[in-house]
Amino acid sequence: MKLYDAFRSALQSLIVNKLRSALTMLGVIIGVAAVIAMVAIGNGASQSVQTSVLALGSNLITITPGSQTQDALRGAGPPAQTLTLDDMTSLKEQLGPTIKAIEAEQQAGNWQIAANGTNWNSRVTGVTEDYPAVRDWSTQSGDFFSDSDLRVNAQVAVIGATTSQQLFGDGDAVGQTLQLRQVFGQRARIINFKVIGVLEPKGSTFGFSRDDQILVPATTAQHVLTGRTNVVSSIVIKANSSDDMDNVTADVQSVLLNRHRISNPENADFTVTNQNDTLAALQGITATFTLLLGAIGGISLLVGGIGIMNIMLVSVNERTREIGIRKAVGARRFDILTQFLIEAIALTGLGGILGILLGWGITQVVARIPQASNLLLVITVGTVAIAVGVSVAIGVVFGLYPAMRAARLHPIQALRYE
Amino acid sequence: MKQFRPAVVQLRGVTKTYRMGKDNVVNALQGVDLDIHEGEFVAIMGPSGSGKSTLMNVVGCLDVSDTGEYILAGENVGKLSDDQLAAIRNKHVGFVFQTFNLLPRLNAIENVELPLVYGGDRKGRRERAIGALEAVGLGDRVHHRPAELSGGQQQRVAIARALLNDPAMILADEPTGNLDSRSSAEILAIFQRLNDEGKTVIMVTHEPDVAEHCKRIVRMRDGIVARDELVPRQRNAEHELREMIAAAASHVLQMPAARAASGAE
Ligand SMILES: Nc1ncnc2c1ncn2[C@@H]1O[C@H](COP(=O)(O)OP(=O)(O)OP(=O)(O)O)[C@@H](O)[C@H]1O
Ligand SMILES: [Mg+2]
């Protein structure tokens, strides 16, 4: 039998049993749509995690105080404040051109801000002058503070785009003054800062807006805001390249161990985190997540496949006489086999295509959910190809047994079937 | 004279046994010897259960015998695979069944085309199907589905299908069993015409009237050939059909007269 006739007869029989074909197909449609949507969501989550991490700056190595050993006693206490600005200066000198940039940060907590007659509340962080270089983050207006500002504990601030919008509206914030306030009972502490720059907007990372913050010189934070002099909460290094990061990590480790006079690296009082490792760990998690979602879709696809097999067995049974007639006029086993197999493949193939469309529709709906607004939903050509391939394969796998049963029927018994 | 023509069908000691469970054994054929030559028109008769259909199935390669030898057009059919048998059915045998056995979803053309779907070219297929339908007088019904045709018309579609691949023989198992006398006469007329053109026709029937349209009658009993005789005077279905039409027409013509007569009383 020519393929043309097989396709024609398959389509004819699908059209004759419209409702049944549609319901059977629905199983495959839902299965394929589930796989497509789930994998797209998984991929989207993975991509947004990656962009979130890289939005903090790329090729970053972060040093934080406290041990990374899993010692229960040590882990129970508060992290020791063992990192200093001197550590940073020393690293900068010793690592020299092997790194691109280095900066230190001190968290100064949340402050009430007043300016221009408005009140706001923001996170304040003390940073050093190379913060823009490390974070790949420049100002949209004004300038960042310099090392001379750090030397004199200048009361200058660089503020995020959102903070600027909240305090100064559409007007230019540069040159304006803002007040950081802390209230202790009746008394209030008020410190004036001059705004010298506004950062470019960057969006949020893991739910935190990165555009609502105030950066001040680290020394100013230490002396004027927190009183914790010399101490920093993290040192961040930008390596020259991603390949370089392991070397730099090792160098940082040895420089700091030396400075802190610790001989056994296991007793280190600081932790060096490599962004590559973080990325890899996060990607591992999102890959598992994607796999899990895909598996859920896969199970619905399997159920759809079983539906196909079921309906094909019914169809073969119903059409036993037809099979007998076809055999009587000369159909060979292979002819009958292909006829039913193509019917199954037509069902699943068409279901697969409709499923892709439905899956795409689902991602469009999901993309409109506000919580998923920054989730990049990715349907790749690969996903589509796999979905079509899998649905055709399901047609073959689940259609084969019914088709073989049809092909094996004895012509006389088939003709006599009531 | 017939003996000098080649034998299309040669059966030697053919047996067929059906087993249903351990004890229930039916010997449907118990050693059939039969020769049928090219151009013959044979009726197979016999009581119900005597093995007529079983014999037809073996002759038509729909089934294979258990023992014995069957040579079809010079080829020993006993050792062939299922697919080879399918090819023989496709090329050399045209079946006509009591229950028509048309595919209900297909129209007349598509039903008739079926043998060419499984053997032969797609080119010219449709034209040949229409030609075959015209040959059985259904040129105006080619797009009808079986459900839209009378029994006699359905059987003629089945004959057109049987003829399409120009087979060596037509096998008909009680082709008129479900038809009235008029439709039966039409079918028999077609068979006689085909036979006149040289086609071998083998037909199972219960009705002696029908059998008398053949040239030879083979009588089966208990799975063997009990009697084999020539028909002394072959009836002509074409004549009978014409008489029937004439009778029906005169009946219609007489109707108004009769009514007028009854009205005058
Ligand atoms: N598939 C089968 N399974 C079991 N027994 C069968 C089968 N086909 C036929 N038989 C038996 O074989 C015997 C011959 O059957 P067959 O159909 O050849 O008879 P027949 O002469 O055509 O009868 P009828 O005139 O009623 O059609 C019967 O006794 C029947 O019961
Ligand atoms: Mg019978």
Side-chain angles (χ1 to χ4, degrees):
Chain A
M1 176 151 77
K2 310 291 178 301
L3 223 51
Y4 165 86
D5 290 301
F7 267 107
R8 214 173 75 137
S9 115
L11 286 184
Q12 248 169 1
S13 110
L14 295 187
I15 288 166
V16 166
N17 297 305
K18 275 187 211 71
L19 182 63
R20 185 205 281 182
S21 307
L23 289 176
T24 312
M25 228 186 272
L26 202 57
V28 178
I29 292 173
I30 290 172
V32 169
V35 169
I36 290 273
M38 293 296 189
V39 171
I41 290 168
N43 279 341
S46 158
Q47 279 212 357
S48 79
V49 163
Q50 185 168 350
T51 45
S52 294
V53 170
L54 291 177
L56 300 167
S58 55
N59 301 337
L60 297 187
I61 292 157
T62 308
I63 306 139
T64 48
S67 161
Q68 62 190 39
T69 54
Q70 297 298 308
D71 190 301
L73 279 176
R74 213 193 304 235
Q81 295 295 328
T82 51
L83 280 184
T84 61
L85 265 184
D86 297 337
D87 282 332
M88 187 210 81
T89 321
S90 173
L91 281 169
K92 191 174 186 171
E93 275 164 13
Q94 296 193 39
L95 296 176
T98 63
I99 61 170
K100 196 166 245 169
I102 183 167
E103 60 115 354
E105 301 182 2
Q106 187 188 53
Q107 304 298 337
N110 280 317
W111 288 72
Q112 202 189 326
I113 324 286
N116 216 12
T118 359
N119 276 302
W120 188 242
N121 200 295
S122 272
R123 190 157 33 92
V124 179
T125 313
V127 301
T128 56
E129 72 276 9
D130 280 338
Y131 181 94
V134 172
R135 299 290 186 179
D136 298 320
W137 201 358
S138 46
T139 51
Q140 63 175 4
S141 67
D143 290 308
F144 211 78
F145 37 80
S146 63
D147 55 341
S148 51
D149 290 322
L150 273 120
R151 248 179 277 125
V152 299
N153 304 350
Q155 280 173 237
V156 291
V158 173
I159 63 177
T162 305
T163 320
S164 168
Q165 178 68 33
Q166 291 295 338
L167 292 174
F168 304 106
D170 292 331
D172 192 5
V174 177
Q176 306 269 18
T177 303
L178 54 77
Q179 291 181 336
L180 300 198
R181 297 170 179 226
Q182 256 177 354
V183 182
F184 309 96
Q186 300 293 327
R187 297 189 312 143
R189 235 177 115 206
I190 297 173
I191 307 146
N192 283 327
F193 277 82
K194 190 181 168 205
V195 179
I196 60 165
V198 179
L199 291 166
E200 282 179 336
K202 274 228 170 167
S204 56
T205 300
F206 304 125
F208 293 104
S209 167
R210 314 207 312 113
D211 294 326
D212 183 15
Q213 63 168 341
I214 293 176
L215 301 178
V216 298
T219 48
T220 316
Q222 290 169 343
H223 291 100
V224 181
L225 297 181
T226 64
R228 286 181 279 132
T229 50
N230 205 17
V231 171
V232 295
S233 26
S234 61
I235 298 172
V236 187
I237 293 171
K238 185 181 181 67
N240 282 319
S241 72
S242 178
D243 302 335
D244 229 18
M245 289 175 72
D246 286 340
N247 287 335
V248 175
T249 306
D251 292 347
V252 167
Q253 201 97 21
S254 73
V255 168
L256 286 183
L257 284 174
N258 205 10
R259 268 184 60 83
H260 294 195
R261 299 179 203 297
I262 297 164
S263 51
N264 184 357
E266 287 196 359
N267 295 334
D269 55 358
F270 57 88
T271 307
V272 185
T273 319
N274 184 322
Q275 195 183 23
N276 278 356
D277 299 342
T278 313
L279 259 185
L282 285 172
Q283 304 250 282
I285 292 167
T286 53
T288 313
F289 179 64
T290 308
L291 199 71
L292 196 76
L293 289 177
I296 292 170
I299 288 169
S300 7
L301 206 49
L302 185 73
V303 173
I306 292 168
I308 295 281
M309 183 143 159
N310 190 18
I311 219 66
M312 288 311 293
L313 283 173
V314 170
S315 173
V316 167
N317 209 35
E318 270 179 356
R319 286 154 67 192
T320 305
R321 236 184 133 79
E322 172 185 333
I323 294 162
I325 294 168
R326 287 181 184 274
K327 288 203 158 191
V329 300
R332 286 155 303 166
R333 285 182 175 207
F334 184 76
D335 297 323
I336 303 293
L337 186 86
T338 36
Q339 181 188 343
F340 282 91
L341 211 49
I342 283 177
E343 205 168 306
I345 292 170
L347 265 179
T348 57
L350 198 57
I353 290 166
L354 294 177
I356 289 168
L357 294 178
L358 180 62
W360 177 79
I362 289 172
T363 61
Q364 292 304 302
V365 171
V366 169
R368 275 170 182 65
I369 299 172
Q371 283 86 343
S373 59
N374 63 341
L375 199 63
L376 250 159
L377 293 171
V378 198
I379 296 179
T380 60
V381 177
T383 323
V384 171
I386 288 171
V388 171
V390 165
S391 19
V392 169
I394 277 181
V396 174
V397 168
F398 291 96
L400 192 61
Y401 174 68
M404 270 164 59
R405 268 178 68 143
R408 280 209 215 101
L409 282 174
H410 190 282
I412 291 298
Q413 275 154 19
L415 276 173
R416 289 211 172 154
Y417 186 84
E418 291 303 328
Chain B
M1 199 180 127
K2 240 170 226 153
Q3 277 70 4
F4 297 114
R5 291 194 183 168
V8 184
V9 170
Q10 262 183 297
L11 295 164
R12 293 288 174 271
V14 165
T15 69
K16 181 80 193 175
T17 304
Y18 292 109
R19 282 191 179 77
M20 291 167 299
K22 256 192 189 135
D23 324 307
N24 200 347
V25 175
V26 180
N27 296 311
L29 298 179
Q30 312 199 49
V32 174
D33 297 314
L34 186 64
D35 276 11
I36 295 171
H37 297 266
E38 204 183 300
E40 280 202 272
F41 189 178
V42 184
I44 296 180
M45 298 190 72
S48 182
S50 57
K52 305 182 295 293
S53 293
T54 308
L55 179 66
M56 287 293 264
N57 293 338
V58 170
V59 169
C61 295
L62 272 173
D63 210 347
V64 284
S65 59
D66 294 337
T67 62
E69 203 176 48
Y70 173 28
I71 292 166
L72 170 63
E75 187 170 10
N76 192 333
V77 167
K79 298 284 172 282
L80 296 183
S81 72
D82 282 3
D83 282 354
Q84 286 169 317
L85 290 175
I88 288 185
R89 291 196 294 271
N90 185 252
K91 292 276 174 308
H92 302 305
V93 184
F95 284 102
V96 179
F97 301 93
Q98 180 175 3
T99 51
F100 319 137
N101 277 340
L102 299 174
L103 294 185
R105 291 190 279 112
L106 305 186
N107 66 24
I109 296 180
E110 291 163 334
N111 263 293
V112 173
E113 276 181 338
L114 220 49
L116 283 181
V117 167
Y118 296 110
D121 238 344
R122 190 144 66 84
K123 230 182 84 199
R125 191 164 88 187
R126 202 183 156 79
E127 291 68 33
R128 273 172 77 176
I130 293 171
L133 281 166
E134 279 165 354
V136 296
L138 284 177
D140 55 344
R141 294 282 193 281
V142 294
H143 293 294
H144 287 54
R145 294 195 178 190
E148 298 155 1
L149 295 169
S150 74
Q153 289 167 336
Q154 288 185 56
Q155 196 60 299
R156 283 188 276 159
V157 173
I159 293 172
R161 179 179 67 190
L163 287 174
L164 199 66
N165 251 348
D166 194 21
M169 57 184 176
I170 301 280
L171 300 184
D173 194 346
E174 301 188 39
T176 59
N178 282 2
L179 302 179
D180 63 9
S181 54
R182 164 84 183 269
S183 299
S184 297
E186 282 170 355
I187 301 299
L188 290 172
I190 293 171
F191 281 155
Q192 285 188 330
R193 203 182 69 223
L194 290 169
N195 183 244
D196 288 344
E197 290 164 4
K199 193 130 317 221
T200 313
V201 181
I202 308 171
M203 176 173 74
V204 172
T205 182
H206 278 288
E207 298 158 79
D209 285 358
V210 170
E212 284 164 16
H213 292 83
C214 304
K215 293 175 179 164
R216 175 184 168 194
I217 297 177
V218 172
R219 289 181 203 277
M220 304 268 306
R221 193 171 2 92
D222 298 333
I224 55 163
V225 175
R227 267 166 67 191
D228 191 343
E229 59 204 357
L230 294 177
V231 177
R233 266 194 54 216
Q234 188 184 13
R235 285 170 60 170
N236 187 323
E238 191 71 49
H239 285 166
E240 288 161 3
L241 194 58
R242 246 181 264 137
E243 277 164 23
M244 276 183 218
I245 293 168
S250 68
H251 180 69
V252 170
L253 285 177
Q254 278 163 11
M255 288 279 278
R259 220 180 282 139
S262 64
E265 265 177 37

